[in-house]
Amino acid sequence: MGKKVRRIGVMTSGGDSPGMNAAIRAVVRACAYYHTECIGYYRGYQGMVNGDSVKLNARSVRNIVNQGGTILQSARSKDFLTKEGRAKAAKNLKKDEVDAMILIGGDGTFRGGKVFSQEHDVPVIGVPGTIDNDIYGTNFAIGYDTALNTVVEAIDKIRDTASSHNRLFFVEVMGRDAGFIALNSGIGAGAEEILIPEEDLGLERLLDSLERSRRAGKTSSIVVVSEGDKIGKNVFQLADYVKENLPNYDARVTVLGHIQRGGRPTCFDRVLASRLSVKAVELLLDGKRDLMVGMLNNEIESCSLERALKGKHNINKELLKISEILST
Ligand code: ATP
């Protein structure tokens, strides 16, 4: 059994995601509920390296459950990648009398947390917050649901103009090497084709499918392209390729970009963030360490950070078939 946890540190790291504020709030309020002090570090690991911290109490987190972004801000820290940087961070935590850390972020954040915990014997718990949803050990990461809704709303609008002009739109969405956003938003918005890194559709099949759509009498077509798609062309080259090979199509490109990270979190993300973060505090107070909390089949569970980092969150293949059937 490790040392009793009297003060918990919290930070948000990597790419920001809607619902991170709800997660911070839940950590702070759970600490207050369990009579444990809480301290926040600004800009992820960089704040730990620089000793940039703030004491947080239940009132410090009022009116943030509904706000996008993160009040603690986020960053990617080069300093923390070095042994010296991490030693500085450990020294600052000691000075602040922080006994354990809750890390809200993606897989890079958890990788850093695992190294830090091993080097400096600081218990850590990871809370998955990334719109990409590419984390093993949880069905959903905080921010993913909000991002999906943002994308679907945007594609609905694109559809209006696409059908008014008989156009083909390529819509690029985020997700890095994972196709969760593309696949789910594509089905939700009724896309004719969805290109994701997990499945190589091939350029010929794309042309065939678009030609079939046109012959079937569709007045507009939407192709959702995941940014990490491996078809061998970026979204602009893809549109040019289709224009060359299917001259009947008036093809346009929309890259949704950072609007996908912003906005008020959906109720789903707020509840998810609240449940995961309360559990993270409870695990630390229970003497547990180096875990990631996640939601599996609507239950809050935990697995080792090591397992979360080694495992792969696979897309649901059933959805590929659904998308094929529905684009008939
Ligand atoms: P997102 O999925 O939204 O990009 P992320 O948590 O994966 O979020 P990263 O930039 O990959 O974002 O990681 C966040 C930070 O974690 C990095 O900027 C770096 O400071 C730290 N980090 C990542 N990998 C390591 C590592 N191997 N050792 C130490 N620190 C690391």
Side-chain angles (χ1 to χ4, degrees):
M1 190 79 173
K3 168 174 159 218
K4 190 168 164 32
V5 171
R6 294 177 198 282
R7 185 176 283 182
I8 291 175
V10 60
M11 55 77 134
T12 49
S13 161
D16 65 313
S17 69
M20 280 184 160
N21 276 326
I24 295 167
R25 170 180 177 268
V27 167
V28 174
R29 295 258 164 106
C31 283
Y33 182 86
Y34 291 116
H35 309 292
T36 304
E37 288 187 56
C38 187
I39 187 161
Y41 286 89
Y42 288 107
R43 292 175 299 108
Y45 288 124
Q46 199 56 45
M48 288 164 59
V49 174
N50 296 347
D52 193 4
S53 62
V54 57
K55 279 191 180 167
L56 297 168
N57 62 39
R59 299 284 74 74
S60 327
V61 289
R62 64 161 71 101
N63 293 338
I64 64 165
V65 70
N66 56 353
Q67 284 176 25
T70 152
I71 57 163
L72 290 176
Q73 300 189 301
S74 190
R76 304 190 196 270
S77 167
K78 284 211 174 92
D79 290 340
F80 199 78
L81 292 171
T82 66
K83 236 177 161 33
E84 298 72 38
R86 293 191 294 273
K88 265 188 177 173
K91 213 168 152 190
N92 285 323
L93 258 54
K94 206 165 195 157
K95 196 174 86 207
D96 292 339
E97 297 178 1
V98 166
D99 302 311
M101 283 297 304
I102 292 181
L103 315 167
I104 305 167
D107 56 345
T109 300
F110 301 155
R111 207 161 288 120
K114 186 169 158 275
V115 175
F116 185 66
S117 165
Q118 282 164 353
E119 280 177 359
H120 297 283
D121 194 23
V122 176
V124 302
I125 302 279
V127 176
T130 164
I131 64 164
D132 302 335
N133 207 34
D134 56 348
I135 308 278
Y136 178 86
T138 188
N139 296 140
F140 302 102
I142 299 164
Y144 167 62
D145 183 67
T146 307
L148 275 186
N149 282 287
T150 302
V151 172
V152 165
E153 205 182 319
I155 299 179
D156 285 350
K157 289 177 179 165
I158 291 168
R159 172 80 72 186
D160 290 344
T161 167
S163 32
S164 303
H165 290 272
N166 260 331
R167 272 181 186 146
L168 162 65
F169 266 88
F170 287 87
V171 183
E172 188 190 89
V173 302
M174 284 183 168
R176 284 197 305 194
D177 295 328
F180 292 98
I181 295 183
L183 186 54
N184 285 273
S185 68
I187 290 176
E192 276 60 38
E193 279 296 344
I194 302 168
L195 306 184
I196 55 173
E198 291 87 345
E199 191 207 38
D200 188 2
L201 182 68
L203 291 167
E204 283 307 310
R205 233 200 80 186
L206 175 66
L207 294 181
D208 286 350
S209 153
L210 291 173
E211 196 45 23
R212 240 181 298 121
S213 288
R214 204 181 58 81
R215 280 203 305 268
K218 295 202 178 191
T219 54
S220 67
S221 286
I222 306 276
V223 179
V224 177
V225 186
S226 183
E227 65 181 347
D229 182 63
K230 302 204 165 42
I231 205 160
K233 293 187 186 295
N234 70 33
V235 70
F236 293 98
Q237 293 166 334
L238 210 54
D240 288 343
Y241 177 80
V242 169
K243 273 191 245 174
E244 275 164 31
N245 289 279
L246 300 175
N248 288 328
Y249 267 114
D250 181 10
R252 302 293 164 104
V253 173
T254 299
V255 176
L256 292 186
H258 283 80
I259 65 161
Q260 293 165 91
R261 286 195 185 281
R264 289 177 180 274
T266 57
C267 180
F268 181 91
D269 272 331
R270 297 180 201 191
V271 175
L272 176 70
S274 303
R275 292 178 74 189
L276 293 176
S277 305
V278 167
K279 184 71 176 181
V281 171
E282 289 175 345
L283 285 170
L284 284 176
L285 296 180
D286 208 22
K288 306 285 194 307
R289 57 180 293 170
D290 307 345
L291 302 174
M292 186 198 84
V293 287
M295 186 169 81
L296 296 169
N297 302 320
N298 203 28
E299 297 289 330
I300 302 302
E301 311 274 356
S302 61
C303 69
S304 69
L305 277 181
E306 186 156 357
R307 184 85 195 84
L309 287 168
K310 277 201 182 130
K312 181 162 169 37
H313 186 185
N314 292 316
I315 53 154
N316 182 349
K317 296 266 179 192
E318 180 212 344
L319 293 178
L320 292 172
K321 181 76 186 163
I322 299 278
S323 121
E324 188 189 330
I325 292 172
L326 298 184
S327 62
T328 304

